[in-house]
Amino acid sequence: MITGFRLNLAPLKEPLGFIKFVEWLTAIFAFGSCGGYSGRNIVSLFCREGRNETLNATFSYPFRLNLVALVEGNTTLCNHSVPVTHLVGDFASSAQFFVGVAIICFLYSIVALLVYLGYMHVYKDSDFGPMFDFGLTAAIAFLWLVCSSAWAKGLQNVKDATGTAGITSTLALCKESDVACEVTDFANMRTLNVSVVFGYLNLIVWAGNAWIVYKETRCHSQKYTAQHGAGAGRGQQVPAAI
């Protein structure tokens, strides 16, 4: 068996190579739209005296909101003494899980493309290559299902914690009868919504890729050969006796 590197771009024109290139792109969009996020909500405090106060709630990936100070240091707002107050919630686990899976897929797609474009003759001549590829691809598809669902829930929790209801329940001042609190300027979370969409898109792409890779395995080829061999046998005519 010749195992040397042979550059051949033909697999990119076939489903096996093309879908791996698509997975490489969607992985970039997934971790890029989530991992680089930073946003700020502006909280307006409406005091009875008619004057307003504002607070900034600035948060970013990995969304450890319990480390974000809403009120820094003891201060006076609306004639009330307010202690140091942080946002509530730590959603780093779901966010980092999502980004981690995306980075793994990004790296694996590069390695797989290198094998497809340079070592396809070795890949097709071995049983281990296609079976390993199929097993890992199926496992990654499952990981996308889990991490996308976890991150979708985590994102909703981030929105709840940084919204008007979340801020009101976090900041004791907002419970005073002479103070009203409202988030008047919301951070743009469009990229985070897009990251969830790309998560489920990756699930679909990797699940489809698992079927494509499965057709490269010996299990599928033997089953295909057996089915067509049986069909050909049934199609033969038995010579009539003279």
Side-chain angles (χ1 to χ4, degrees), residues 1 12 25 28 32 35 47 59 65 82 94 96 109 125 138-139 143 152 164 171 176 184 188 216 219 230:
M1 179 186 299
L12 284 177
L25 289 178
I28 292 176
C47 312
F59 51 96
L65 301 185
V82 182
S94 59
Q96 290 178 326
S109 297
D125 288 342
L143 285 177
T164 297
L171 189 60
E176 299 292 338
T184 53
N188 187 348
E216 298 293 331
C219 295

Side-chain angles (χ1 to χ4, degrees), residues 25 61 69 75 104 110 135 150 152 154 160-161 166 173 213 223 226 233 240:
L25 289 178
Y61 175 84
T75 187
I104 290 173
I110 293 177
D160 293 340
L173 176 63
V213 175
K223 182 179 179 181

Side-chain angles (χ1 to χ4, degrees), residues 74-83 172-173 176:
N74 294 328
T75 187
T76 300
L77 297 171
C78 296
N79 295 326
H80 292 274
S81 179
V82 182
L173 176 63
E176 299 292 338

Side-chain angles (χ1 to χ4, degrees), residues 41-209:
N41 281 5
I42 297 179
V43 183
S44 296
L45 309 179
F46 302 99
C47 312
R48 175 175 292 179
E49 296 82 1
R51 60 189 179 86
N52 299 335
E53 303 276 2
T54 59
L55 298 173
N56 294 326
T58 303
F59 51 96
S60 60
Y61 175 84
F63 306 103
R64 291 190 174 94
L65 301 185
N66 57 323
L67 301 181
V68 176
L70 184 60
V71 178
E72 297 182 359
N74 294 328
T75 187
T76 300
L77 297 171
C78 296
N79 295 326
H80 292 274
S81 179
V82 182
V84 176
T85 305
H86 292 80
L87 296 178
V88 176
D90 184 353
F91 310 106
S93 58
S94 59
Q96 290 178 326
F97 180 32
F98 180 84
V99 171
V101 170
I103 292 176
I104 290 173
C105 293
F106 169 77
L107 296 176
Y108 179 63
S109 297
I110 293 177
V111 174
L113 282 173
L114 179 63
V115 172
Y116 293 165
L117 300 182
Y119 297 95
M120 182 57 77
H121 55 290
V122 179
Y123 179 88
K124 289 197 177 279
D125 288 342
S126 67
D127 294 335
F128 174 77
M131 287 301 298
F132 177 82
D133 196 9
F134 168 70
L136 191 54
T137 300
I140 289 177
F142 176 74
L143 285 177
W144 274 118
L145 172 62
V146 176
C147 75
S148 297
S149 300
W151 171 228
K153 175 60 177 174
L155 176 56
Q156 185 58 52
N157 291 337
V158 170
K159 292 178 179 179
D160 293 340
T162 57
T164 297
I167 296 296
T168 300
S169 63
T170 301
L171 189 60
L173 176 63
C174 298
K175 298 179 176 65
E176 299 292 338
S177 59
D178 58 343
V179 179
C181 303
E182 182 181 355
V183 177
T184 53
D185 190 4
F186 288 88
N188 187 348
M189 296 189 180
R190 185 177 303 171
T191 57
L192 297 181
N193 295 331
V194 169
S195 70
V196 175
V197 173
F198 270 105
Y200 286 109
L201 178 61
N202 271 288
L203 165 62
I204 296 173
V205 173
W206 282 85
N209 188 22

